[in-house]
């Protein structure tokens, strides 16, 4: 999980490891041992895989440090990219807390931000601070009550020191354990069960922090717990819809070619075809989302507006607010309502523009009507401005147009 970990020697064999089956109801039976990875911000926006066999990831949504929050901005894209690769994504919280008040504060903040499906793993990473049995059990119960598979992660010696052997046994009788223990810090591709942290109900074993060169946590799932939250273990059919799983699904729907026109941006194209920019970038292997060019051929989803072009101006009256939907980004909402990301962030008190959540109500600038015009063949910016009773410079500025001579049929202009 974190970068530095203590080596703690155990004394177990493969036979003992495989005897540590889950208690009833915690995971469905499997004859396949799954390999996977867990990530924090150090693995970047797309995450890092060890080997082709890896079929699950567990991403850190953020950390809680006795009252302080440190969200991980890489979480959403790591989840989306995992699902896009037809692998299963799960979540963990770095949880340094004491007492039920802090437990509630931590979960009130992070649970609404979970983007993996209901039923998927939401693990509490308890490896630092001064945890106590009552608050850890309280937190695990809250995760379970929220509809996720609650799992306790940590090192056996640390957990026993703070919770007691009987306390850890009490937890293991109700919730699965994910324990970490390493032989050394050399690249390790397979578990060494001489270093297995034997205990009741260990369903996940983190056997190395050097799974691959450069550092990466390697894990094995003994029981199929990492299939939780996915229908038949299929990452393309999650139990619930989230922003991240929606992005993953977009990469597997029917697509067709689209030729980039002058003035196009990826966000405009993505919006037109009902996609997210992340899905469009991943689908087309684009290295720099700001570099596309006229004549470039992209694959886009068959869903969405397609080539349908409105032949008239439209007026969308708002009450000055917008309710965030799954897949929304602040920049896309700003573009849709003819404002800027920084303006929306400012008037809504948003400190991190990458963190908005479905159901959140955003105030829009001014609260007045937002009007839109769809460009038709033969239109010019000055001609449109004259028709709408505004100036071409105002249209240019409001719509972020760098070259007033480059507009195209189907483009939406706000005024």
């Amino acid at each position: 999980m974190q970068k530095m970990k203590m080596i703690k020697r155990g004394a177990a064999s493969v036979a003992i490891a495989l005897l540590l089956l889950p208690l009833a109801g915690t995971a469905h039976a499997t004859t396949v041992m799954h390999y996977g990875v867990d990530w924090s911000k150090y693995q970047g926006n797309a995450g890092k895989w060890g080997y082709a066999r890896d079929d699950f990831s567990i991403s850190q949504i953020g950390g809680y440090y006795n009252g302080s929050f440190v969200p991980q901005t890489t979480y959403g894209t790591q989840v989306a990219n995992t699902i896009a690769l037809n692998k299963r994504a799960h979540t963990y919280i770095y949880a340094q807390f004491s007492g039920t008040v802090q437990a509630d504060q931590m979960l009130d903040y992070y649970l609404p931000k979970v983007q993996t499906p209901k039923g998927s793993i939401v693990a509490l990473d308890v490896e630092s601070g001064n945890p106590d049995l009552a608050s850890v059990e309280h937190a695990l119960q809250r995760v379970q009550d929220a509809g996720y598979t609650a799992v306790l992660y940590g090192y056996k010696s640390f957990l026993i020191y703070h919770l007691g052997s009987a306390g850890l046994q009490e937890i293991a009788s109700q919730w699965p354990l994910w324990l970490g223990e390493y032989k050394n810090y050399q690249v390790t591709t397979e578990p060494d069960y001489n270093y297995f942290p034997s205990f009741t109900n260990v369903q996940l074993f983190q056997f190395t922090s050097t799974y691959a060169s450069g550092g990466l946590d390697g894990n094995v799932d003994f029981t199929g717990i990492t299939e939780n939250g996915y229908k038949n273990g299929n990452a393309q059919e999650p139990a619930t819809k989230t922003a991240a799983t929606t992005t993953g699904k977009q990469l597997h729907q029917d697509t067709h070619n689209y030729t980039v026109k002058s003035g196009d941006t990826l966000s405009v194209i993505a919006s037109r075809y009902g996609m997210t920019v992340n899905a469009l970038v991943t689908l087309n292997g684009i290295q720099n989302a700001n570099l596309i060019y006229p004549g470039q051929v992209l694959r886009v989803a068959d869903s969405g507006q397609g080539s349908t072009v409105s032949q008239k101006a439209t007026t969308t009256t708002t009450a000055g607010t917008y309710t965030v939907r799954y897949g929304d980004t602040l920049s896309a909402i700003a573009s849709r309502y003819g404002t800027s990301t920084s303006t929306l962030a400012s008037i809504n008190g948003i400190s991190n523009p990458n963190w908005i959540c479905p159901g959140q109500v955003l105030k829009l600038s001014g609260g007045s009507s937002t009007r839109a015009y769809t460009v038709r063949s033969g239109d010019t910016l000055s001609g449109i401005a004259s028709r709408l009773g505004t100036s071409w410079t105002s249209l240019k500025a409001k719509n972020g147009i760098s070259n007033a001579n480059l507009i195209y049929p189907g483009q939406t202009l706000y005024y």
Side-chain angles (χ1 to χ4, degrees):
M1 296 290 190
Q2 300 296 294
K3 294 297 100 182
M4 295 301 294
K5 299 188 175 180
M6 298 296 291
I7 302 174
K8 297 174 288 299
R9 181 172 297 275
S13 64
V14 175
I16 292 175
L18 296 179
L19 284 173
L20 296 176
L21 296 175
L23 299 170
T26 54
H28 60 270
T30 181
T31 57
V32 178
M33 185 167 68
H34 297 293
Y35 288 81
V37 291
D38 62 85
W39 297 327
S40 64
K41 64 183 180 182
Y42 299 105
Q43 283 70 49
N45 288 326
K48 177 182 177 182
W49 298 96
Y51 306 95
R53 69 189 179 192
D54 296 336
D55 61 7
F56 71 88
S57 69
I58 310 179
S59 293
Q60 186 186 148
I61 191 172
Y64 178 86
Y65 301 87
N66 297 112
S68 298
F69 299 94
V70 182
Q72 300 268 300
T73 59
T74 51
Y75 169 73
T77 52
Q78 286 178 350
V79 170
N81 279 287
T82 295
I83 294 173
L85 292 170
N86 203 33
K87 301 175 189 285
R88 301 181 302 281
H90 300 276
T91 301
Y92 79 88
I93 304 168
Y94 190 89
Q96 180 178 302
F97 66 100
S98 297
T100 57
V101 172
Q102 287 194 351
D104 285 334
Q105 184 184 42
M106 172 181 69
L107 294 173
D108 287 345
Y109 182 82
Y110 282 118
L111 281 177
K113 295 177 171 61
V114 172
Q115 293 193 35
T116 51
K118 291 285 184 168
S120 65
I121 293 168
V122 173
L124 301 180
D125 177 359
V126 179
E127 59 176 282
S128 65
N130 190 30
D132 60 278
L133 178 61
S135 60
V136 171
E137 289 186 319
H138 175 78
L140 288 167
Q141 187 63 52
R142 277 207 55 187
V143 172
Q144 180 178 311
D145 291 344
Y148 300 101
T149 298
V151 173
L152 176 62
Y153 169 88
Y155 305 123
K156 180 180 172 181
S157 59
F158 177 87
L159 293 172
I160 288 178
Y161 178 81
H162 288 277
L163 307 179
S165 182
L168 186 58
Q169 183 66 48
E170 183 177 314
I171 288 174
S173 70
Q174 302 173 74
W175 295 284
L177 301 182
W178 171 20
L179 298 183
E181 190 163 324
Y182 317 144
K183 177 181 179 180
N184 54 42
Y185 292 102
Q186 298 174 2
V187 172
T188 304
T189 61
E190 295 290 340
D192 184 337
Y193 291 102
N194 291 311
Y195 292 82
F196 185 83
S198 302
F199 208 80
T200 305
N201 204 16
V202 179
Q203 297 195 34
L204 284 160
F205 174 29
Q206 186 186 82
F207 60 90
T208 182
S209 64
T210 46
Y211 189 41
S213 179
L216 180 66
D217 290 341
N219 303 269
V220 291
D221 162 16
F222 301 119
T223 65
I225 190 173
T226 59
E227 295 180 19
N228 289 5
Y230 297 91
K231 294 180 181 178
N232 300 319
N234 181 356
Q236 292 309 310
E237 297 179 358
T240 58
K241 292 181 179 180
T242 68
T245 55
T246 298
T247 298
K249 284 183 173 183
Q250 288 174 358
L251 304 181
H252 295 271
Q253 60 188 339
D254 292 334
T255 60
H256 64 274
N257 285 342
Y258 173 80
T259 303
V260 177
K261 302 180 181 69
S262 294
D264 270 348
T265 63
L266 279 181
S267 60
V268 168
I269 297 170
S271 177
R272 188 179 308 152
Y273 291 97
M275 303 179 72
T276 64
V277 173
N278 185 58
L280 192 58
V281 165
T282 305
L283 180 62
N284 290 278
I286 296 171
Q287 299 299 314
N288 186 336
N290 295 314
L291 290 178
I292 59 172
Y293 53 87
Q296 182 177 358
V297 177
L298 302 176
R299 295 297 293 179
V300 296
D302 284 351
S303 60
Q305 299 173 25
S307 58
T308 303
V309 178
S310 173
Q311 295 297 311
K312 61 182 179 179
T314 60
T315 301
T316 303
T317 302
T318 73
T321 62
Y322 175 80
T323 302
V324 177
R325 296 174 294 183
Y326 286 119
D328 275 343
T329 63
L330 201 62
S331 60
I333 297 169
S335 176
R336 189 179 311 154
Y337 288 96
T339 185
S340 67
T341 303
S342 58
T343 297
L344 279 186
S346 176
I347 64 177
N348 288 281
I350 297 172
S351 58
N352 185 343
N354 295 314
W355 280 101
I356 57 174
C357 57
Q360 182 176 355
V361 177
L362 301 177
K363 292 182 289 185
L364 303 172
S365 57
S368 59
S369 294
T370 299
R371 296 174 292 175
Y373 175 82
T374 304
V375 178
R376 296 175 287 184
S377 180
D379 272 346
T380 64
L381 201 62
S382 59
I384 295 169
S386 177
R387 193 178 313 151
L388 300 177
T390 185
S391 67
W392 69 267
T393 53
S394 175
L395 284 180
K396 181 173 180 288
K398 193 162 190 176
N399 291 279
I401 298 171
S402 57
N403 186 338
N405 296 314
L406 291 178
I407 59 173
Y408 56 90
Q411 182 177 2
T412 300
L413 302 178
Y414 295 96
Y415 65 100

